[in-house]
Amino acid sequence: MVHADYKEMLPIHALAALDAQDDRVLTEHLASCADCRLELDEWQKVSASLAMTVVLQEPSKEVRARILSSISKSERANVVPLIPQKNVWSSLGSFGVIAAGIVFVALMISVLALWNENRNNQRRLAELATQIKTTQEQLAQQQKLIRQFTAPDAHMTELMPTTSAPGAKAMIAYDKTGHAMLIARGLPAAPAGKAYQLWYIVGTTPMPGKVFKMDEAGNGLVEDQMPTEAMKSATFAITMEDANGAAKPTGGILLHSAF
Ligand SMILES: [Zn+2]
């Protein structure tokens, strides 16, 4: 959310009409934005004076009766066109001002309600858009994976777990251009700052591949371009490294293909 969004929320906050979530978000922003704090001060003054005005000028029974009778008179005036029409509010005098104040407050409340509803709808819409995007990305990735694993020239190699990763499994598929995709399951989510890394071991030299993390569904997926040296013969291995990846493996081997 940008500064302008918060600014828009200030008057609503001053009237204590923000919903709980917006209120929390705004309160966090206020802690770090002197500009908004200053403006909120102004709005709170306005809000306080508005509340005072409404309370002090709440019409008594008599006033209410006079307003209503004036309005019904003016309605009659509308029915009988021979009587010259007067402006309703000016004929009501100061009572009209009070009535206008009440109408204004009622209008404000309905505007606030609409504003809140609109914000909630926008938020829901943004959530849905994000969900759709994620689903589309997952679908695209799965289709790519299927193509890779079912291509006529696909080489497939299974990686088996060492005792450091019991229950884990991985499969790598690569084509003659060296485009490789690896899918892993059964590995725990890597701790913060760590990730799993793919290695191509050529002879005794480990060549670094890409890093990957396990997703919420427990799948680890990585797409990589194999080094040319690894294409004739290589052992594939997975270790846990820094999230940025390492040039040489530092963690123990968790999974590997046949040596
Ligand atoms: Zn601000």
Side-chain angles (χ1 to χ4, degrees), residues 2-4 6-7 10 26 29-30 32-37:
V2 296
H3 183 65
Y6 294 113
K7 276 202 175 264
L10 293 174
L26 179 64
H29 175 72
L30 282 170
S32 66
C33 182
D35 187 30
C36 281
R37 279 202 301 274

Side-chain angles (χ1 to χ4, degrees), residues 174-201:
Y174 58 97
D175 60 24
K176 59 177 185 293
T177 69
H179 178 248
M181 282 184 97
L182 173 129
I183 182 155
R185 281 194 65 85
L187 284 169
K194 293 282 185 181
Y196 295 104
Q197 186 166 5
L198 173 64
W199 298 94
Y200 307 96
I201 304 171

